[in-house]
Amino acid sequence: MLLELEVRDFALIDQISIDFHNGLNILTGETGAGKSIIIDAVNMAIGERADRNFVRSGSNKATIQAIFSIANIKDLDEILQKYGIEIDDERILIVTREIYASGRSVSRINGIAVNQRILKLITENLIDIHGQHEHQSLLNSAFHIELLDAYGGKEIQEILILLWERYDRYLSLQNQLKSFLGNERERERNIDLLKFQINEIDNANLHKGEEEELNQRRIILSNSEKIYSILGSIYEEFYQGNLSYSLLDTVSKNIKALKTISDFDEKLLYFYTVLEEVQYKIEDIIREVGNYKDNIDFQPNMLNEIEERLDIINNLKRKYGNNIEEILFYRDKAQKELDNYIHREEKVKEIEKSIIQEKKELEVLSKSVNKLRKIAAKTFETKLIKVLEDLNMGKVFFAINIEELKDSNGQLKFSAKGIDKVEFMISTNVGEPLKPLSKIASGGEMSRIMLALKTILARIDNIPTLIFDEIDTGISGITAQIVGEKLYNIANNRQVICITHLPQIAAMADTHFLIEKKSEKNITKTNVKKLDKNKRLHELGRLLGGDITEITLKHAAEMIEIANKKVKATK
């Protein structure tokens, strides 16, 4: 669960720290006080796209730190180990997000830097945020299949993974077939081009390592006169010299002199031995210098041939690769492509056969997931209707329509999710036919439907923290009280954080926070504080009527007492 949220220099927030608790955490405040900013901060912490506009004016960066307890989440251990994130015995996860005014952002989990994808991958197991945008997604029928599959659980998810892999191969084969059955004139052009490219590379007779060898030979030939001159001078100095004795003669004479005294002392023997070894090495290397010098080739034609050969190689590199290995790889790839074009009919038959097989596999998997969806839909419908009845929608009827998609020829139309189109249908009044959810539900009904969905799915996904932002849109009175009770019931099994403006929901709080906006010295700041019993009464009084009077305070106290008796007494 979310233990603590610390936010610095984020939008209107200078610095706040909120210690969340088990159960139902309620956040209230005046319109514009910054309630949505808290949700924005949490969204940033769990990996939403960083927006530098959130950096507080005059600051270099905004920092959000969220501290989670993962004591009861063992499924995370493997993924944390994969990315080198260590957890101690207390099983605390510290997520830090820094958003810079420049637009750059840095994310860390327990001090280890992670990218946005990994951050979302980990935190999606920790927290689920329901905001107003999810109302809109619920109106989109394409989102309904996601909800049903989530409810269907592991069995459906495992088949969907196989389905996606098969569908990806199916699309790849379709694209290959389309390529082979393309424009005949373009096919002939491609054949001519591939033949030209292959011949051009083959005619060059390239071999690996040739370019390096030619460059080395070119360097030597280009500097052959200089090499010959220097080596000749060295050879002459050692064997002939400018005086009556060569250098080797001088070395030899001194070694012989040392030998006559080497028996007198070990140090003298050491001098003699080392110099004698040096003499042998000098003689060997000077002999090699002479041989190298005598074999130097002063052929200008050879240098021209090397330059021409390198020009051929460089021309091929400009077209086909950065080096000879890449050029030869391109040649082999072009040959395979040419073979496919030449043997098009055989290849087409081969691809068509593979497509038929993939379609069979896709149909088997799609039928399997279709069957599981229909089974899941029955219990989903029953549970959702029960929850909606609890939420004061007693005349509601809900059904999930699962339709097999087909193309214009009446053939099954496959997708990465199978062959199904899933749409939620609802009737909110007796005698009215089922209609698509997007065409029937009001704002208040949408809020309750979404809460019902979260209630059902929360039992499946085991996410420890649920956040509801404006779940009370379009409701009031007894319905608001029922929604508050439902939120409290959910909070019996997991942590719930809820932003609301309704006193009926706020009265159910285990912990109540007030969000305030204050202006000091022409600077506007958002603050959050935990309310004690007395201040909580005043806040509920404000929610009830605005002005704090004895009557509103009495009413607020009565609401809290009723909440304690009606729901919390059963805890």
Side-chain angles (χ1 to χ4, degrees):
M1 70 175 208
L2 179 60
L3 300 177
E4 182 181 337
L5 178 70
E6 185 173 336
V7 185
R8 297 181 184 178
D9 297 321
F10 186 84
L12 295 178
I13 298 173
D14 179 18
Q15 180 177 355
I16 62 168
S17 181
I18 310 174
D19 295 324
F20 291 107
H21 298 264
N22 287 321
L24 181 58
N25 296 262
I26 293 292
L27 288 80
T28 61
E30 294 277 6
T31 301
K35 297 188 293 295
S36 62
I37 296 175
I38 304 296
I39 302 301
D40 289 333
V42 176
N43 269 317
M44 292 298 105
I46 63 176
E48 288 300 309
R49 188 179 67 84
D51 187 345
R52 62 183 177 183
N53 291 322
F54 279 121
V55 179
R56 183 173 169 82
S57 179
S59 299
N60 177 47
K61 67 177 180 179
T63 304
I64 305 105
Q65 181 171 274
I67 302 176
F68 295 91
S69 169
I70 58 170
N72 299 317
I73 312 177
K74 304 300 181 183
D75 294 343
L76 268 180
D77 290 3
E78 185 176 342
I79 190 171
L80 291 173
Q81 290 174 3
K82 179 180 178 180
Y83 295 108
I85 299 168
E86 296 182 357
I87 48 175
D88 56 21
D89 294 338
E90 294 183 353
R91 296 186 65 78
I92 297 296
L93 217 59
I94 302 174
V95 177
T96 307
R97 189 92 183 269
E98 294 175 337
I99 303 169
Y100 290 82
S102 62
R104 183 172 65 94
S105 73
V106 178
S107 305
R108 293 183 179 86
I109 300 179
N110 283 4
I112 301 298
V114 295
N115 61 30
Q116 185 181 1
R117 181 185 64 82
I118 297 172
L119 179 61
K120 293 188 75 169
L121 184 66
I122 292 172
T123 56
E124 68 183 9
N125 296 282
L126 302 176
I127 194 165
D128 181 31
I129 299 179
H130 165 64
Q132 292 183 9
H133 70 280
E134 282 193 86
H135 282 332
Q136 300 303 316
S137 65
L138 194 55
L139 295 175
N140 182 1
S141 60
F143 181 58
H144 299 172
I145 195 170
E146 303 281 350
L147 295 173
L148 179 59
D149 289 345
Y151 176 78
K154 186 177 180 181
E155 195 173 4
I156 286 181
Q157 298 303 324
E158 288 176 348
I159 296 178
L160 285 176
I161 291 171
L162 298 175
L163 230 170
W164 181 86
E165 292 173 351
R166 283 285 178 188
Y167 183 69
D168 188 54
R169 286 201 290 269
Y170 176 72
L171 285 184
S172 177
L173 289 168
Q174 291 278 28
N175 290 331
Q176 288 181 44
L177 183 61
K178 185 178 179 182
S179 174
F180 280 113
L181 297 177
N183 185 285
E184 184 67 23
R185 186 177 297 173
E186 182 179 351
R187 173 178 168 271
E188 292 299 328
R189 283 200 298 266
N190 287 335
I191 289 174
D192 289 342
L193 176 61
L194 290 168
K195 284 181 177 179
F196 171 80
Q197 292 174 336
I198 291 168
N199 289 333
E200 185 177 31
I201 295 172
D202 287 347
N203 291 336
N205 291 318
L206 301 174
H207 64 264
K208 294 178 181 179
E210 179 183 6
E211 186 179 13
E212 292 79 5
E213 179 185 333
L214 288 171
N215 280 321
Q216 183 61 35
R217 289 177 62 192
R218 180 177 63 177
I219 292 171
I220 293 173
L221 286 172
S222 299
N223 296 279
S224 57
E225 291 186 6
K226 182 178 181 181
I227 294 170
Y228 186 88
S229 174
I230 291 174
L231 293 183
S233 175
I234 292 172
Y235 189 84
E236 184 178 344
E237 287 288 336
F238 274 90
Y239 272 110
Q240 298 176 6
N242 295 323
L243 302 172
S244 56
Y245 293 100
S246 69
L247 289 175
L248 277 175
D249 289 337
T250 302
V251 171
S252 178
K253 182 181 72 173
N254 286 291
I255 289 173
K256 289 177 181 178
L258 268 173
K259 186 177 182 182
T260 61
I261 60 174
S262 62
D263 294 335
F264 300 146
D265 185 19
E266 288 186 0
K267 197 72 174 176
L268 295 172
L269 178 61
Y270 169 75
F271 293 157
Y272 165 73
T273 303
V274 171
L275 282 175
E276 187 178 40
E277 290 177 1
V278 170
Q279 180 187 16
Y280 293 146
K281 290 181 178 179
I282 291 174
E283 288 175 348
D284 288 342
I285 195 67
I286 295 303
R287 196 158 34 248
E288 290 183 25
V289 166
N291 291 335
Y292 190 100
K293 174 181 68 70
D294 293 338
N295 288 306
I296 289 178
D297 195 347
F298 296 95
Q299 298 182 40
N301 291 337
M302 181 64 71
L303 182 60
N304 290 335
E305 290 177 10
I306 290 174
E307 295 287 1
E308 290 174 1
R309 184 64 177 165
L310 286 171
D311 285 343
I312 291 172
I313 293 172
N314 287 329
N315 182 49
L316 293 175
K317 282 168 63 177
R318 282 192 294 271
K319 297 179 181 179
Y320 308 118
N322 295 318
N323 50 55
I324 289 177
E325 286 78 4
E326 289 186 12
I327 294 170
L328 295 175
F329 178 80
Y330 182 92
R331 187 259 177 228
D332 292 341
K333 182 181 175 183
Q335 184 65 57
K336 290 179 182 177
E337 191 174 348
L338 178 61
D339 291 342
N340 286 335
Y341 275 120
I342 293 174
H343 305 290
R344 184 182 68 158
E345 291 184 5
E346 297 174 18
K347 195 66 179 177
V348 165
K349 288 180 181 179
E350 182 183 327
I351 293 173
E352 287 177 338
K353 184 178 178 181
S354 296
I355 287 175
I356 291 171
Q357 184 60 38
E358 288 298 331
K359 285 182 73 173
K360 288 180 180 179
E361 296 292 341
L362 276 173
E363 185 170 352
V364 170
L365 291 170
S366 296
K367 293 286 187 181
S368 296
V369 81
N370 171 272
K371 184 178 179 180
L372 290 172
R373 281 174 178 147
K374 287 179 178 178
I375 294 171
K378 292 300 179 185
T379 58
F380 192 102
E381 290 166 353
T382 302
K383 289 183 178 180
L384 192 72
I385 290 172
K386 177 63 173 66
V387 177
L388 289 174
E389 288 174 348
D390 293 343
L391 291 171
N392 205 29
M393 290 179 69
K395 306 299 182 181
V396 69
F397 187 68
F398 176 83
I400 299 176
N401 184 47
I402 301 176
E403 176 187 351
E404 289 187 359
L405 293 174
K406 294 184 178 181
D407 60 22
S408 57
N409 298 318
Q411 299 295 312
L412 290 174
K413 187 176 181 180
F414 297 103
S415 74
K417 295 186 179 298
I419 53 174
D420 298 331
K421 178 185 178 183
V422 175
E423 186 163 19
F424 293 169
M425 311 291 287
I426 194 166
S427 170
T428 56
N429 296 297
V430 175
E432 288 187 357
L434 285 167
K435 293 182 180 179
L437 185 64
S438 59
K439 296 181 179 180
I440 200 74
S442 66
E445 288 168 338
M446 289 300 296
S447 294
R448 282 178 281 174
I449 292 168
M450 182 57 79
L451 178 57
L453 288 168
K454 292 292 181 181
T455 302
I456 294 171
L457 294 174
R459 298 167 187 164
I460 304 300
D461 57 30
N462 293 320
I463 293 175
T465 298
L466 301 177
I467 296 182
F468 294 97
D469 182 17
E470 305 293 349
I471 194 66
D472 50 17
T473 299
I475 62 174
S476 60
I478 187 64
T479 301
Q481 183 177 331
I482 294 171
V483 168
E485 293 172 6
K486 182 59 66 176
L487 286 169
Y488 188 83
N489 289 336
I490 297 174
N492 282 334
N493 300 310
R494 62 200 64 231
Q495 182 188 49
V496 175
I497 299 169
C498 179
I499 292 178
T500 184
H501 65 276
L502 294 180
Q504 295 94 329
I505 295 176
M508 305 301 301
D510 289 311
T511 309
H512 193 156
F513 298 92
L514 176 64
I515 303 172
E516 295 180 303
K517 184 167 66 175
K518 294 184 177 180
S519 297
E520 299 176 2
K521 299 179 180 178
N522 296 323
I523 297 176
T524 302
K525 296 181 181 180
T526 291
N527 296 314
V528 180
K529 60 183 179 182
K530 181 180 175 182
L531 300 181
D532 57 24
K533 183 177 179 180
N534 186 50
K535 290 181 179 177
R536 188 178 174 213
L537 281 174
H538 278 75
E539 176 60 8
L540 253 66
R542 183 191 67 79
L543 292 172
L544 281 164
D547 295 330
I548 306 300
T549 65
E550 288 187 14
I551 295 175
T552 54
L553 289 176
K554 184 178 179 180
H555 191 184
E558 185 180 4
M559 290 185 72
I560 294 173
E561 184 179 355
I562 291 172
N564 289 335
K565 287 180 179 179
K566 191 170 184 179
V567 180
K568 297 189 180 183
T570 63
K571 190 171 182 179

